[in-house]
Amino acid sequence: MFASGVGVACLGGVMGVAQAQEKVLNLYSARHYQTDEALYQNFTKQTGIKINRIELGDEPLLERVRNEGKNSPADVLMVVDAARLWKAQIEGFFQPVKSKSLEAKIPAHLRGKDDGKGSEWFGFSTRARVIVYNKDKIKAEDVQNYEDLASPKLKGKLCTRSGSHPYMLSWIGSMIEHLGEAKAEEWARGLVANMARPPRGGDTDQIHAVAAGECGVAVTNTYYWVRLLRSSKPEDKATVAKVGFVWPNQKSTGTHINIAGAGVLKHAPNRAAAVQFLEYLASDEAQGYFANGNNEWPVVKTAVAKNPELDSLGPFKADNLSIATIGVRQVAAQKLLDRVGYK
């Protein structure tokens, strides 16, 4: 079923009739944040195009598109992380989009490769993978770089989520690109040797584990950290007080960046509306929703975020490695992790 901004409707066989009567966009989205509601409503208000949407996890959405094939009613697929965008691209889910507006606003390293016909996907918000540490157990100077996480100094002190999670695969993929596969494998073996416990939980769980002293150091996406900064819950405030924050690799490659992105599906029945929606996502107004609603950075330089907690993180040097290149490294990253016994 599709959910629209005004409720849930089972479209079934009436979809064709409905689409003939009104302008619509069928969106498959892995973003399930309440703050995105205003994003969709504003698009409809500006264009008169009604958004019908399905919101599921990234993998269930990819499986749905795969099973529906050319009969899919979806126009746009929106997913999180280079790993999922790359998977959708290599399976042929997207079609290229040539748009002067998107090319002008979205940096080349944050969109899919363009062979002259346009990019198949575009990044619309960014998040960074940072290091957090227990202030009572770890010195900040010992965890200034991703490479430091494999240091014998941290034996028994590292916590992470599963190595097979796309956030981790993208991060490991970027390290393969920077270090070369042999050195990246040696580094990953160091990570495994430093584990405080088997990988489990999400990024927020890692932060809480650091605060509780279960581990001394962890990695997390920035928007999870900013959620805690914005939280009024006493337990979250206590966590933030005990945990330090580091922008990794500021004197070398920069901090690893990933994206939430979207593309027009190959068999989109409403292609014009789909392209219009992508161009809308790159507008200053829409970019503000990403920053203020889910603590992500806009990708468009002219967009302004009004998020004091996000701003409090300050400026940093970001890794400008192509997101498309990181995606290509996913298979190599998983094989490397399998070899070193990273759960």
Side-chain angles (χ1 to χ4, degrees):
M1 61 177 58
F2 275 94
S4 73
V6 295
V8 177
C10 183
L11 301 186
V14 302
M15 178 177 286
V17 175
Q19 292 184 177
Q21 296 174 339
E22 60 182 346
K23 295 189 294 182
V24 299
L25 171 78
N26 299 321
L27 171 65
Y28 283 9
S29 177
R31 292 179 60 90
H32 41 80
Y33 313 120
Q34 287 186 339
T35 50
D36 283 357
E37 195 72 39
L39 187 75
Y40 305 136
Q41 290 178 355
N42 193 57
F43 174 73
T44 299
K45 189 180 298 184
Q46 288 185 17
T47 65
I49 300 172
K50 176 185 175 184
I51 297 180
N52 300 312
R53 71 183 187 274
I54 286 178
E55 292 180 348
L56 293 171
D58 295 87
E59 296 304 324
L61 279 181
L62 293 174
E63 182 65 19
R64 188 176 186 120
V65 174
R66 189 177 298 117
N67 291 337
E68 290 174 343
K70 65 181 181 180
N71 296 317
S72 177
D75 298 303
V76 171
L77 175 66
M78 185 181 293
V79 292
V80 176
D81 200 271
R84 279 100 171 214
L85 288 164
W86 174 77
K87 184 180 290 187
Q89 181 176 338
I90 64 168
E91 291 196 45
F93 290 173
F94 294 131
Q95 59 175 285
V97 170
K98 198 73 175 172
S99 163
K100 290 183 179 180
S101 174
L102 292 171
E103 290 171 8
K105 293 181 176 182
I106 298 178
H109 71 284
L110 299 180
R111 57 182 193 254
K113 183 180 178 182
D114 185 348
D115 292 325
K117 297 180 180 179
S119 297
E120 293 193 4
W121 53 262
F122 300 84
F124 292 103
S125 64
T126 65
R127 64 283 301 273
R129 198 137 190 84
V130 297
I131 294 172
V132 291
Y133 64 95
N134 185 297
K135 293 177 182 178
D136 294 330
K137 295 177 178 290
I138 301 292
K139 296 179 180 178
E141 57 263 33
D142 289 337
V143 289
Q144 290 297 301
N145 303 289
Y146 296 125
E147 291 87 342
D148 296 336
L149 300 178
S151 168
K153 287 184 179 181
L154 299 180
K155 189 171 180 63
K157 296 180 180 179
L158 175 65
C159 283
T160 77
R161 68 193 305 160
S162 168
S164 295
H165 191 278
Y167 294 169
M168 297 294 289
L169 290 176
S170 292
W171 176 47
I172 300 296
S174 72
M175 295 300 286
I176 292 174
E177 190 68 20
H178 287 308
L179 300 177
E181 194 154 344
K183 288 186 177 180
E185 182 169 333
E186 180 182 354
W187 169 74
R189 290 187 188 280
L191 298 185
V192 173
N194 286 346
M195 292 293 179
R197 54 159 171 75
R200 65 170 182 265
D203 281 8
T204 303
D205 297 314
Q206 314 311 316
I207 303 172
H208 284 307
V210 167
E214 183 179 358
C215 39
V217 64
V219 290
T220 179
N221 276 353
T222 41
Y223 70 91
Y224 293 106
W225 174 249
V226 179
R227 281 183 191 175
L228 294 177
L229 292 180
R230 297 180 76 174
S231 174
S232 59
K233 295 179 180 178
E235 59 268 30
D236 292 339
K237 289 183 176 296
T239 289
V240 169
K242 295 176 182 178
V243 176
F245 174 97
V246 171
W247 292 115
N249 295 71
Q250 292 301 281
K251 294 182 179 180
S252 58
T253 56
T255 299
H256 170 66
I257 295 294
N258 217 310
I259 63 171
V264 178
L265 289 164
K266 180 181 289 185
H267 304 291
N270 304 291
R271 186 184 190 281
V275 173
Q276 193 171 352
F277 180 67
L278 296 191
E279 292 176 340
Y280 163 73
L281 292 180
S283 67
D284 287 1
E285 185 174 22
Q287 288 282 295
Y289 286 122
F290 290 122
N292 304 326
N294 196 46
N295 310 308
E296 300 165 274
W297 284 284
V299 301
V300 178
K301 290 182 178 180
T302 55
V304 178
K306 297 178 181 179
N307 185 328
E309 289 78 14
L310 186 62
D311 291 343
S312 74
L313 301 185
F316 68 100
K317 178 183 177 181
D319 188 352
N320 62 3
L321 187 64
S322 166
I323 296 296
T325 298
I326 293 172
V328 171
R329 288 291 189 180
Q330 302 304 298
V331 174
Q334 185 62 71
K335 288 180 178 178
L336 182 153
L337 294 178
D338 291 343
R339 288 197 299 272
V340 303
Y342 203 124
K343 302 294 185 179

